[in-house]
Amino acid sequence: MIKHIVMWKLKGSTPAELQINRLTVKQALESLRGKVPGLLHLEVGLDQSDVDYAFDVVLYSEFESVVALAAYADHPEHQRVRREMSDLRIQRHQVDYFTN
């Protein structure tokens, strides 16, 4: 199994706009459940700390293999979500790691 974790810092000139963007991203990512072969688990969290250096959204996901994770990158549903998020994000960080 391989874990895939991604964090995003989102645009938002007001707290209300930022919250709308956070919820939009969360909904888009959660729409991937059950649509991508090899995606075993998907969890989306919204930052509750409100510290200025925190990221706004985190994706925690588990894939059955590296092959499944690579296929996810090109999957049409994943590409749709990326397009939906493209104008909302400022930064993105990612970590992929194997579990024993």
Side-chain angles (χ1 to χ4, degrees):
M1 179 185 339
I2 186 164
K3 296 184 180 181
H4 173 68
I5 299 173
V6 185
M7 297 184 303
W8 293 271
K9 188 79 164 171
L10 302 178
K11 295 177 184 176
S13 57
T14 66
E17 182 183 9
L18 179 58
Q19 184 62 11
I20 289 168
N21 291 346
R22 290 166 73 172
L23 293 172
T24 299
V25 168
K26 182 176 181 3
Q27 182 179 28
L29 290 167
E30 288 177 341
S31 76
L32 293 171
R33 283 193 185 110
K35 296 180 181 172
V36 179
L39 175 58
L40 305 175
H41 180 76
L42 182 141
E43 180 178 317
V44 181
L46 303 179
D47 178 59
Q48 301 300 307
S49 71
D50 290 326
V51 295
D52 62 350
Y53 54 84
F55 276 65
D56 298 300
V57 179
V58 63
L59 167 69
Y60 170 86
S61 54
E62 297 174 354
F63 289 84
E64 65 186 17
S65 67
V66 175
V67 172
L69 177 57
Y72 164 74
D74 295 325
H75 192 279
E77 286 296 310
H78 179 248
Q79 292 299 314
R80 173 189 58 80
V81 169
R82 287 186 60 174
R83 285 189 303 275
E84 289 176 15
M85 294 174 55
S86 66
D87 290 337
L88 302 178
R89 70 182 194 176
I90 297 169
Q91 284 184 304
R92 178 185 180 279
H93 293 287
Q94 172 179 327
V95 174
D96 298 329
Y97 64 95
F98 292 102
T99 59
N100 296 333

